[in-house]
Amino acid sequence: MIATCAAWCVLSFAPTVGFAQDGAPPKLDVRARVEQALLRDPATLPTAAAGKWADWDATKPLGETLVRALAAGIGAYQRGELGLALAQFHGLLEVEPDLPPALYHAGLCYFRLRRYKDCATLIERFEAAAPREIGATRVLGHSYYSLGRYGDARAQYEQVLAAAPDDVEARRGLALSRMRLGQLDEALAELESVLAKKPDHADAQTWKAQLLFDLGRSEEALASAMRARELDPFEPKPWYLVSQIQLDLGHDADAEGARARFEVLSRAASEIRSLEALLLTDPHALGPQRRLVEVHVSIGDSKTVRERLARLVSEAPKDVELRIFALDAWVALGDEDGARNAALELERECADEAAAWQRLESFWASVRDRVRQVQASERYLRLKGGVKDSR
């Protein structure tokens, strides 16, 4: 998203879905509106008269009613409630056909829902409605690329870069499009440009390794693949590349070790994608969220475990089962600091739950904190006996 998009994200996120011309929210069931939005073909949204928004300027304020409705949709989008966001943007587009920021953000929703054709439909309309905002249409290039339309993707990225030459992700997309079109040297040059601006870009480093390997430059490819693996150790592709390049160089033992790790990460990545797909339309579902934590624990990805656990416990901060689950996750990772913090949070948030103190007794015993172990034992026995804790 280019800088001018910040002007679209204003005011508080109003909790409405759709609105009437006078600003009054309609009396419609939110769940029904969300289901309707997810089922709707965006091509059926009404269109504006040609040229209506040609002079639209993202820096100029919209009316208060439009701004509040737009902000509500953006708020839902940022919370991961993509169906709710779509319902909001659809409501806007019914009232103000082809309103550029509504088209744009609805397109982003479709992209995150992996509905790339629908995303392209709306971002193409956005581009036609507000041609001066071509620099914001990187996501259209991403959609074309995801649909296998590599020539269209290349052309789109080139237009974006003409307007926004510092857009690193558009340049990465251009590199991959060129690669798919067989322009390997040109693709490699674009990736070098990406890495010059952002040396820690793991995906660009991975594709650089792939291109170098395809060009027969195995020693350079290995160095790049190793760097990609260092930058993103839980992504399967760098491990696969390392195994293939090591094999090509005759380093069979190293190749076998990298291949084994690739297979572990590949299975995990497949399950992660499936679980994340479930959360796209039901972001508060606890089952997939818990399983995601377990999968990330299994591969040792403590950074993502921390992020996922924070999201999970935010669903029900006082839920003793979730708090114990969080503690168990840190114990399984072997992260002493994470486990201790989770234990202290369990004490604080679930102080009246016998199950909490029963788990804490065993945890403090495992880390040889005798004082806390005894305190937990006493609290557990008191609560189990039905005596309310007065503290």
Side-chain angles (χ1 to χ4, degrees):
M1 196 181 301
I2 61 172
T4 55
C5 295
W8 307 346
C9 309
V10 291
L11 290 188
S12 61
F13 298 150
T16 60
V17 178
F19 57 102
Q21 292 278 13
D22 62 1
K27 296 179 180 179
L28 295 174
D29 177 73
V30 172
R31 183 180 295 274
R33 290 293 302 276
V34 168
E35 291 177 355
Q36 183 183 47
L38 290 170
L39 290 172
R40 184 170 189 174
D41 179 352
T44 66
L45 288 164
T47 57
K52 177 178 180 180
W53 300 104
D55 295 326
W56 179 75
D57 185 344
T59 65
K60 293 181 179 178
L62 298 168
E64 181 180 352
T65 299
L66 291 178
V67 169
R68 288 184 63 80
L70 180 64
I74 294 171
Y77 175 86
Q78 292 177 335
R79 295 190 303 272
E81 298 176 355
L82 301 181
L84 181 61
L86 265 184
Q88 190 70 25
F89 297 133
H90 285 182
L92 265 166
L93 292 166
E94 289 287 350
V95 173
E96 285 288 357
D98 287 339
L99 177 68
L103 283 174
Y104 184 82
H105 286 93
L108 292 184
C109 289
Y110 283 121
F111 187 83
R112 283 185 60 185
L113 288 165
R114 306 175 189 175
R115 292 170 58 173
Y116 305 117
K117 183 178 179 181
D118 290 334
C119 175
T121 294
L122 292 192
I123 302 301
E124 285 170 352
R125 283 175 60 172
F126 167 78
E127 183 180 74
R132 293 190 298 181
E133 294 296 321
I134 186 68
T137 61
R138 178 182 70 212
V139 70
L140 181 55
H142 291 347
S143 294
Y144 288 153
Y145 182 89
S146 299
L147 292 166
R149 296 169 56 180
Y150 303 123
D152 291 333
R154 179 184 62 185
Q156 192 67 32
Y157 291 130
E158 288 172 343
Q159 291 183 75
V160 171
L161 288 165
D166 292 330
D167 189 327
V168 169
E169 288 307 307
R171 193 162 300 282
R172 180 187 67 91
L174 177 59
L176 298 188
S177 299
R178 289 188 180 280
M179 180 191 70
R180 298 297 183 187
L181 293 168
Q183 301 170 348
L184 302 190
D185 290 320
E186 294 89 340
L188 182 59
E190 297 291 356
L191 287 174
E192 294 285 13
S193 179
V194 169
L195 290 166
K197 292 181 182 294
K198 193 174 181 182
D200 61 349
H201 198 304
D203 188 70
Q205 194 70 250
T206 300
W207 285 109
K208 176 185 173 181
Q210 180 70 71
L211 282 168
L212 288 168
F213 188 46
D214 291 344
L215 290 167
R217 296 159 61 178
S218 295
E219 293 286 357
E220 295 172 81
L222 180 59
S224 190
M226 297 284 277
R227 175 57 177 156
R229 191 174 69 176
E230 176 186 333
L231 290 169
D232 193 354
F234 303 104
E235 172 60 37
K237 187 172 175 62
W239 290 89
Y240 177 76
L241 282 171
V242 168
S243 72
Q244 294 298 102
I245 299 167
Q246 294 280 34
L247 193 63
D248 183 67
L249 293 171
H251 306 156
D252 292 359
D254 291 334
E256 184 178 350
R259 177 74 186 195
R261 182 59 174 167
F262 160 72
E263 290 175 353
V264 169
L265 293 175
S266 182
R267 288 193 295 271
S270 179
E271 186 172 4
I272 288 167
R273 284 193 297 271
S274 297
L275 292 165
E276 289 178 339
L278 293 175
L279 291 171
L280 287 174
T281 53
D282 189 5
H284 301 292
L286 295 183
Q289 290 192 61
R290 287 181 60 135
R291 182 55 189 157
L292 274 171
V293 171
E294 292 171 343
V295 175
H296 286 293
V297 166
S298 74
I299 58 176
D301 187 353
S302 58
K303 179 177 181 293
T304 305
V305 167
R306 186 178 305 279
E307 295 167 356
R308 287 289 178 187
L309 281 176
R311 175 177 171 179
L312 178 60
V313 298
S314 72
E315 299 285 354
K318 301 289 186 180
D319 187 298
V320 65
E321 184 181 349
L322 290 184
R323 289 289 179 180
I324 291 174
F325 176 80
L327 173 55
D328 291 344
W330 288 117
V331 170
L333 270 175
D335 187 315
E336 294 182 6
D337 290 339
R340 180 173 288 272
N341 289 334
L344 293 174
E345 289 175 0
L346 178 59
E347 285 187 359
R348 182 178 67 251
E349 300 296 339
C350 304
D352 292 332
E353 297 284 351
W357 295 102
Q358 183 180 34
R359 178 65 185 93
L360 286 164
E361 179 185 3
S362 63
F363 171 72
W364 294 124
S366 71
V367 296
R368 295 181 173 82
D369 189 328
R370 180 61 179 166
V371 173
R372 286 187 177 275
Q373 178 191 354
V374 171
Q375 291 173 342
S377 177
E378 291 174 351
R379 297 282 289 276
Y380 168 62
L381 291 173
R382 186 181 307 161
L383 289 168
K384 184 181 179 184
V387 179
K388 188 74 171 180
D389 199 313
S390 61
R391 289 197 288 175

